[in-house]
Short mmCIF file of all heavy atoms in Angstrom, two decimals:
data_model
loop_
_atom_site.label_atom_id
_atom_site.label_comp_id
_atom_site.label_asym_id
_atom_site.label_seq_id
_atom_site.Cartn_x
_atom_site.Cartn_y
_atom_site.Cartn_z
N ALA U 59 19.43 -8.11 4.93
CA ALA U 59 18.32 -7.19 4.89
C ALA U 59 17.01 -7.89 4.63
O ALA U 59 15.99 -7.58 5.21
CB ALA U 59 18.55 -6.19 3.77
N GLU U 60 17.04 -8.97 3.80
CA GLU U 60 15.75 -9.60 3.43
C GLU U 60 15.22 -10.47 4.58
O GLU U 60 14.02 -10.46 4.82
CB GLU U 60 15.95 -10.53 2.20
CG GLU U 60 15.78 -9.75 0.91
CD GLU U 60 14.51 -8.91 0.90
OE1 GLU U 60 13.40 -9.48 1.00
OE2 GLU U 60 14.60 -7.69 0.76
N SER U 61 16.08 -11.17 5.31
CA SER U 61 15.57 -12.06 6.31
C SER U 61 15.09 -11.27 7.51
O SER U 61 14.13 -11.63 8.17
CB SER U 61 16.62 -13.08 6.79
OG SER U 61 17.64 -12.42 7.46
N ALA U 62 15.71 -10.12 7.76
CA ALA U 62 15.34 -9.21 8.85
C ALA U 62 15.28 -9.98 10.18
O ALA U 62 14.56 -9.54 11.09
CB ALA U 62 14.01 -8.53 8.60
N SER U 63 15.94 -11.10 10.27
CA SER U 63 15.84 -11.82 11.55
C SER U 63 17.14 -11.55 12.36
O SER U 63 18.24 -11.65 11.81
CB SER U 63 15.65 -13.34 11.30
OG SER U 63 16.86 -13.90 10.86
N GLU U 64 16.93 -11.23 13.60
CA GLU U 64 18.07 -10.98 14.47
C GLU U 64 17.66 -11.57 15.80
O GLU U 64 16.49 -11.83 16.06
CB GLU U 64 18.36 -9.49 14.57
CG GLU U 64 17.15 -8.70 14.99
CD GLU U 64 17.39 -7.20 15.13
OE1 GLU U 64 18.56 -6.81 15.21
OE2 GLU U 64 16.44 -6.43 15.21
N SER U 65 18.63 -11.80 16.64
CA SER U 65 18.28 -12.46 17.92
C SER U 65 17.82 -11.40 18.93
O SER U 65 18.14 -10.21 18.81
CB SER U 65 19.54 -13.17 18.48
OG SER U 65 20.46 -12.20 18.90
N LEU U 66 17.09 -11.88 19.90
CA LEU U 66 16.65 -10.97 21.00
C LEU U 66 17.85 -10.39 21.70
O LEU U 66 17.84 -9.23 22.10
CB LEU U 66 15.73 -11.72 21.95
CG LEU U 66 14.38 -12.12 21.40
CD1 LEU U 66 13.62 -12.99 22.43
CD2 LEU U 66 13.54 -10.86 21.08
N ASP U 67 18.91 -11.20 21.81
CA ASP U 67 20.12 -10.69 22.48
C ASP U 67 20.70 -9.52 21.74
O ASP U 67 21.18 -8.53 22.34
CB ASP U 67 21.19 -11.82 22.59
CG ASP U 67 20.81 -12.81 23.67
OD1 ASP U 67 19.91 -12.57 24.45
OD2 ASP U 67 21.48 -13.92 23.67
N ALA U 68 20.70 -9.61 20.40
CA ALA U 68 21.23 -8.49 19.59
C ALA U 68 20.38 -7.25 19.76
O ALA U 68 20.91 -6.11 19.83
CB ALA U 68 21.29 -8.90 18.11
N ILE U 69 19.09 -7.44 19.88
CA ILE U 69 18.18 -6.27 20.03
C ILE U 69 18.41 -5.64 21.40
O ILE U 69 18.53 -4.42 21.56
CB ILE U 69 16.72 -6.68 19.86
CG1 ILE U 69 16.47 -7.28 18.49
CG2 ILE U 69 15.77 -5.51 20.05
CD1 ILE U 69 15.19 -8.10 18.34
N ARG U 70 18.58 -6.50 22.40
CA ARG U 70 18.81 -5.99 23.77
C ARG U 70 20.16 -5.23 23.80
O ARG U 70 20.27 -4.18 24.44
CB ARG U 70 18.85 -7.12 24.78
CG ARG U 70 19.14 -6.72 26.23
CD ARG U 70 18.06 -5.78 26.71
NE ARG U 70 18.37 -5.10 28.01
CZ ARG U 70 19.07 -3.99 28.12
NH1 ARG U 70 19.54 -3.37 27.03
NH2 ARG U 70 19.29 -3.47 29.31
N ALA U 71 21.13 -5.79 23.09
CA ALA U 71 22.46 -5.14 23.07
C ALA U 71 22.35 -3.79 22.35
O ALA U 71 23.02 -2.81 22.75
CB ALA U 71 23.47 -6.03 22.37
N ASP U 72 21.50 -3.73 21.33
CA ASP U 72 21.32 -2.45 20.63
C ASP U 72 20.65 -1.40 21.50
O ASP U 72 20.99 -0.19 21.42
CB ASP U 72 20.50 -2.68 19.36
CG ASP U 72 20.43 -1.46 18.49
OD1 ASP U 72 21.33 -0.62 18.59
OD2 ASP U 72 19.51 -1.35 17.71
N ILE U 73 19.77 -1.84 22.38
CA ILE U 73 19.16 -0.88 23.29
C ILE U 73 20.15 -0.32 24.25
O ILE U 73 20.17 0.90 24.55
CB ILE U 73 17.98 -1.56 24.09
CG1 ILE U 73 16.82 -1.90 23.15
CG2 ILE U 73 17.51 -0.67 25.25
CD1 ILE U 73 15.67 -2.63 23.82
N GLY U 74 21.08 -1.14 24.66
CA GLY U 74 22.19 -0.74 25.52
C GLY U 74 21.67 -0.02 26.78
O GLY U 74 20.65 -0.38 27.33
N ASP U 75 22.38 1.08 27.15
CA ASP U 75 21.93 1.86 28.27
C ASP U 75 21.15 3.07 27.73
O ASP U 75 21.58 4.21 27.74
CB ASP U 75 23.21 2.36 29.03
CG ASP U 75 22.86 3.12 30.30
OD1 ASP U 75 21.76 2.84 30.88
OD2 ASP U 75 23.64 3.99 30.73
N CYS U 76 19.99 2.74 27.19
CA CYS U 76 19.25 3.66 26.30
C CYS U 76 18.95 5.01 26.91
O CYS U 76 18.50 5.12 28.06
CB CYS U 76 17.95 2.97 25.86
SG CYS U 76 17.05 3.86 24.66
N ARG U 77 19.19 6.04 26.11
CA ARG U 77 18.79 7.41 26.48
C ARG U 77 18.07 8.08 25.37
O ARG U 77 18.14 9.27 25.17
CB ARG U 77 20.07 8.26 26.82
CG ARG U 77 20.63 7.89 28.18
CD ARG U 77 22.11 8.06 28.27
NE ARG U 77 22.61 7.28 29.45
CZ ARG U 77 23.14 7.82 30.50
NH1 ARG U 77 23.26 9.11 30.56
NH2 ARG U 77 23.53 7.07 31.48
N ARG U 78 17.40 7.27 24.54
CA ARG U 78 16.76 7.82 23.33
C ARG U 78 15.55 8.66 23.66
O ARG U 78 15.14 9.47 22.85
CB ARG U 78 16.38 6.67 22.41
CG ARG U 78 17.56 5.93 21.74
CD ARG U 78 17.02 4.67 21.04
NE ARG U 78 18.09 3.89 20.38
CZ ARG U 78 18.83 2.96 21.00
NH1 ARG U 78 18.73 2.77 22.31
NH2 ARG U 78 19.70 2.27 20.29
N CYS U 79 14.95 8.48 24.82
CA CYS U 79 13.78 9.33 25.19
C CYS U 79 13.87 9.68 26.68
O CYS U 79 14.67 9.16 27.42
CB CYS U 79 12.43 8.65 24.81
SG CYS U 79 11.81 7.54 26.08
N ARG U 80 12.98 10.55 27.10
CA ARG U 80 12.99 11.10 28.47
C ARG U 80 12.73 9.98 29.51
O ARG U 80 13.03 10.22 30.68
CB ARG U 80 12.05 12.24 28.63
CG ARG U 80 10.60 11.92 28.53
CD ARG U 80 9.67 13.10 28.55
NE ARG U 80 9.55 13.77 27.29
CZ ARG U 80 8.75 13.36 26.31
NH1 ARG U 80 8.02 12.26 26.45
NH2 ARG U 80 8.71 14.00 25.16
N LEU U 81 12.17 8.88 29.10
CA LEU U 81 11.82 7.87 30.13
C LEU U 81 13.09 7.29 30.84
O LEU U 81 12.99 6.70 31.90
CB LEU U 81 11.02 6.72 29.52
CG LEU U 81 9.61 7.04 29.05
CD1 LEU U 81 8.89 5.81 28.53
CD2 LEU U 81 8.81 7.66 30.23
N HIS U 82 14.25 7.50 30.20
CA HIS U 82 15.46 6.97 30.84
C HIS U 82 15.82 7.69 32.14
O HIS U 82 16.44 7.16 33.00
CB HIS U 82 16.66 7.01 29.87
CG HIS U 82 17.35 8.34 29.81
ND1 HIS U 82 16.93 9.38 28.99
CD2 HIS U 82 18.40 8.86 30.55
CE1 HIS U 82 17.71 10.43 29.18
NE2 HIS U 82 18.58 10.16 30.11
#
Side-chain angles (χ1 to χ4, degrees):
E60 274 312 298
S61 70
S63 74
E64 54 179 344
S65 70
L66 290 174
D67 285 348
I69 301 163
R70 179 64 191 86
D72 188 23
I73 291 178
D75 185 27
C76 187
R77 282 148 199 249
R78 292 170 179 85
C79 85
R80 67 184 83 79
L81 291 183
H82 82 274

